[in-house]
Amino acid sequence: MILIETKRLVLRQFKQEDWRDLHEYLSQESVLKYEPGTISDEDDCKNIATARSQDNTFWAVCLKDTNKMIGHIYFEQKEPKEFLTWVIGYIFNPAFYGKGYATEACQRILKYGFEELGVHRVIALCNPENEPSWKLLERISMRREGIFRKEVFFKTTINGQPMWQDTYQYAILKEELIP
């Protein structure tokens, strides 16, 4: 198992027992406001943690001093693989907002990608209404490349009609982070 450390955090592969910490935040509607899917109950979180424990695209973000999982990062290579482009995403427990943990974890996963995996470019997508998310992307030196109008929907109206939403795309190149 690969462990990536920062001053305060450990980023590692999910474990099945992470379901409790995962449930703490995936059971909150406010956390999922800009995400696909709905609130997860305990059984959902057990299944999610089990699936992610067998997948290397999700990283559990844990406090170094207590080993408590406080969020997770999604980091996966896009096709075509020869373009060496990866996508980053994240969800954190609101009890740990405002302490710089998400910034610290994302900066470290970018460094890992560029230095260890040979990544050329990393992109991130977020809803323009999710200001804390796009401000985080800017703090980690990603630049806004554009806006995609009514690109995706995660929810529908009572009549089943898509509720389209816009998406910002951010990116960073290896040479922009690591000269």
Side-chain angles (χ1 to χ4, degrees), residues 21-28 31 69 71-72 91-94:
D21 290 336
L22 191 63
H23 183 257
E24 277 185 32
Y25 58 95
L26 291 187
S27 62
Q28 298 182 47
V31 171
M69 189 181 78
H72 63 268
I91 300 178
F92 279 78
N93 185 331

Side-chain angles (χ1 to χ4, degrees), residues 32-50:
L32 301 171
K33 181 176 181 181
Y34 302 106
E35 299 293 328
T38 57
I39 292 173
S40 299
D41 63 22
E42 289 185 355
D43 286 336
D44 295 332
C45 288
K46 287 176 185 175
N47 293 332
I48 292 167
T50 298

Side-chain angles (χ1 to χ4, degrees), residues 93-107:
N93 185 331
F96 298 91
Y97 286 178
K99 296 174 174 48
Y101 293 129
T103 301
E104 188 174 325
C106 289
Q107 285 173 327

Side-chain angles (χ1 to χ4, degrees), residues 106-115 119-120 122 139-143 171-179:
C106 289
Q107 285 173 327
R108 185 61 182 92
I109 205 82
L110 288 176
K111 186 176 192 286
Y112 168 76
F114 290 135
E115 291 182 352
V119 173
H120 165 70
V122 176
R139 274 194 306 280
I140 63 172
S141 301
M142 295 184 82
R143 88 191 102 61
I172 188 168
L173 299 171
K174 179 178 183 175
E175 60 264 22
E176 292 173 315
L177 187 66
I178 301 170

Side-chain angles (χ1 to χ4, degrees), residues 90 102-103 106 131-141:
Y90 40 81
T103 301
C106 289
E131 185 175 348
S133 185
W134 57 259
K135 283 189 171 184
L136 166 63
L137 295 171
E138 291 174 1
R139 274 194 306 280
I140 63 172
S141 301

